[in-house]
């Protein structure tokens, strides 16, 4: 969909926007009350936004009472609005659409994914005026499956993956057979097939030509073989709360592994065996990671990008692109960062389906 969404500058309101209209004299208590009654209902929330005490602007007992009442009403109204937005997030029709990252040789990567991992090339588009090419690959059509969006920028043949990105997960019916195929095609196997530590699931790890890691998980037939994106975070509980409230994901499971000093949490929009999920990993004592410049973002479908951006802001996330249509194609999106700086782009569901047409 979109390879890189530029960050939008943060716009902060100024005190000059807090204007109190009217020509009433402030010489009597009645005038104070009229001013408080007619104007403070809108001014108080803005003053509170700046952390200013209203008594600095208005003095007198009657005004303080009116300000207090207006402030309490405003707080109650704001709290209700917040609850409504977060409740809407839970009921929004959301789905992980695709994961975007950069590669140094598009044809080489396409060849590896199709021949070794069994993916299909779904579509490819070249944007010469912006000097990049996209390729979409996966195990089924984009309107129903989670897929990969590769980005090749003209003349750039290498990227830094960094330490924050972990791996992608792919469910296969026979891990050993897949590993043999990867080896035959010249791929790199970094962990031979075998049971996961402390469990029974057979896994293996391989690397693609750019060094991205893939975890192969042995499972029966599944509607979503491209099943995981693993990212490392600095505070797991903080991330879980954010992904649940702002992104509307469900915490599917959480597992602590003290022997190896890490904890993981699986979050998503449905069971792991039928949907793609986020695997967030916390390594004991590590609060920040170098993200490099290779991995880009996750795209998630939503019914309303405007309310989505509102929810992200309410939950402490940073909106880097305010909601609205993209130039040229009119698809409405909004882009944001989670508490660790991982980027997500939310895409209007109806617009996304029109774009696929």
């Amino acid at each position: 969909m979109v390879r890189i969404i530029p960050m939008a500058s943060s716009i902060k309101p100024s005190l000059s926007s807090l204007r109190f209209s009217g020509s009433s004299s402030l010489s009597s208590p009645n005038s104070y009350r009229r001013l408080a009654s007619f104007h403070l209902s809108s001014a108080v929330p803005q003053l509170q936004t700046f952390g200013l005490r209203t008594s600095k602007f208005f003095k007198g007992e009657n005004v303080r009472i009116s300000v207090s009442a207006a402030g309490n009403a405003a707080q109650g109204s704001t709290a209700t609005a917040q609850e409504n937005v977060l409740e809407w997030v839970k009921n929004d029709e959301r789905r992980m659409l695709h994961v975007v990252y950069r590669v140094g040789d598009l044809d080489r990567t396409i060849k590896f994914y199709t021949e070794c991992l069994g993916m299909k090339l779904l579509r490819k588009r070249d944007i010469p005026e912006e000097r990049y090419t996209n390729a979409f690959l996966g195990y089924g059509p984009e309107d129903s499956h989670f897929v990969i969006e590769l980005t090749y920028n003209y003349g750039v043949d290498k990227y830094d993956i960094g330490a924050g990105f972990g791996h992608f997960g792919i469910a296969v019916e026979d891990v050993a057979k897949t590993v043999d195929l990867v080896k035959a095609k010249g791929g790199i196997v970094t962990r031979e097939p075998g049971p996961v530590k402390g469990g029974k699931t057979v896994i293996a790890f391989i690397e693609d030509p750019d060094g991205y890691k893939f975890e192969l998980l042995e499972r029966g037939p599944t509607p979503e073989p491209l099943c995981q994106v693993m990212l490392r975070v600095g505070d797991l509980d903080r991330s879980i709360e954010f992904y649940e409230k702002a992104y509307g994901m469900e915490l599917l499971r959480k597992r602590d592994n003290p022997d190896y000093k890490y904890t993981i949490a699986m979050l998503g929009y449905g069971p792991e065996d039928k949907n793609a999920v986020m695997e967030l990993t916390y390594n004991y004592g590590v609060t920040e990671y170098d993200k490099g410049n290779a991995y880009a973002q996750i795209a998630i479908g939503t019914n309303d990008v405007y309310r989505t951006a509102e929810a992200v802001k309410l939950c402490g996330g940073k909106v880097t692109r305010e909601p609205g249509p993209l130039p040229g194609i009119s698809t409405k999106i909004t882009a944001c960062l989670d508490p660790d700086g991982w980027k997500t782009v939310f895409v209007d569901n109806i617009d996304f389906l029109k774009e696929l047409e």
Side-chain angles (χ1 to χ4, degrees), residues 220-231:
T222 172
E224 198 69 281
L226 181 59
C227 58
Q228 292 177 6
V229 177
M230 192 276 260
L231 302 174

Side-chain angles (χ1 to χ4, degrees), residues 3 86 100 103 143 162 193 198 266 281 284 296 311 344:
R3 77 177 165 128
L86 296 180
V100 186
V103 297
D143 60 359
M266 298 291 191
T281 298
Y284 290 9
T344 298

Side-chain angles (χ1 to χ4, degrees), residues 42-330:
S42 61
V44 167
Q46 297 182 50
L47 297 176
Q48 290 171 341
T49 300
F50 289 96
L52 300 177
R53 301 178 67 87
T54 52
S55 58
K56 289 184 179 180
F57 290 86
F58 306 99
K59 298 186 183 294
E61 204 166 309
N62 291 328
V63 170
R64 282 199 295 269
I65 292 172
S66 298
V67 168
S68 176
N72 290 339
Q75 288 176 348
S77 176
T78 300
T80 301
Q82 291 177 351
E83 289 176 6
N84 290 341
V85 170
L86 296 180
E87 185 61 30
W88 173 83
V89 168
K90 295 178 184 177
N91 298 314
D92 188 20
E93 295 177 323
R94 297 191 172 184
R95 179 176 71 86
M96 290 171 60
L97 303 178
H98 48 254
V99 59
V100 186
Y101 53 101
R102 304 169 181 92
V103 297
D105 185 326
L106 195 58
D107 292 336
R108 177 186 65 183
T109 303
I110 291 172
K111 179 180 175 68
F112 183 84
Y113 288 4
T114 55
E115 293 184 359
C116 297
L117 300 179
M119 294 185 191
K120 296 178 181 178
L121 176 61
L122 304 172
R123 61 186 171 112
K124 189 176 179 182
R125 66 182 180 194
D126 185 41
I127 315 294
E129 61 272 19
E130 296 188 33
R131 298 180 57 79
Y132 75 89
T133 306
N134 287 139
F136 294 78
L137 298 100
Y139 296 97
E142 292 177 64
D143 60 359
S144 58
H145 288 72
F146 183 56
V147 306
I148 286 170
E149 178 182 339
L150 301 177
T151 296
Y152 168 69
N153 292 296
Y154 291 9
V156 183
D157 60 6
K158 191 173 183 180
Y159 293 94
D160 175 20
I161 294 177
F165 171 79
H167 61 259
F168 304 111
I170 295 181
V172 299
E173 294 187 41
D174 191 328
V175 167
K177 184 177 180 179
T178 303
V179 166
D180 288 342
L181 179 60
V182 169
K183 289 179 178 178
K185 297 292 184 179
I188 299 172
V189 177
T190 58
R191 186 208 192 267
E192 293 290 337
V196 65
K197 295 173 182 176
K200 297 181 179 179
T201 304
V202 175
I203 67 167
F205 274 92
I206 65 169
E207 286 186 5
D208 76 357
D210 289 273
Y212 291 101
K213 291 181 173 59
F214 284 79
E215 180 181 15
L216 306 178
L217 302 100
E218 194 158 279
R219 288 182 184 172
T222 172
E224 198 69 281
L226 181 59
C227 58
Q228 292 177 6
V229 177
M230 192 276 260
L231 302 174
R232 298 182 176 92
V233 298
D235 184 329
L236 190 58
D237 290 335
R238 177 187 66 182
S239 294
I240 291 171
E241 181 179 14
F242 181 82
Y243 277 71
E244 285 182 319
K245 289 184 177 180
Y247 291 179
M249 291 187 180
E250 177 187 355
L251 176 60
L252 303 171
R253 63 185 172 97
K254 184 178 178 182
R255 187 182 79 232
D256 185 38
N257 195 328
D259 292 338
Y260 296 94
K261 297 185 178 181
Y262 72 87
T263 308
I264 67 167
M266 298 291 191
L267 298 105
Y269 298 109
E272 288 180 64
D273 60 341
K274 294 182 174 64
N275 299 271
V277 300
M278 297 296 301
E279 178 181 343
L280 303 181
T281 298
Y282 168 69
N283 293 299
Y284 290 9
V286 184
T287 58
E288 293 184 9
Y289 292 94
D290 170 22
K291 296 180 179 61
N293 62 356
Y295 174 86
Q297 65 213 26
I298 292 279
I300 296 175
T302 175
N303 287 338
D304 190 331
V305 296
Y306 299 93
R307 298 190 77 175
T308 293
E310 186 179 351
V312 168
K313 292 176 182 178
L314 286 174
C315 295
K318 182 178 181 180
V319 173
T320 58
R321 188 193 192 282
E322 291 295 334
L326 284 169
I329 59 174
S330 300

Side-chain angles (χ1 to χ4, degrees), residues 337-350:
L337 303 179
D338 75 0
D340 289 274
W342 294 114
K343 187 176 180 180
T344 298
V345 175
F346 285 88
V347 185
D348 181 271
N349 285 324
I350 294 176

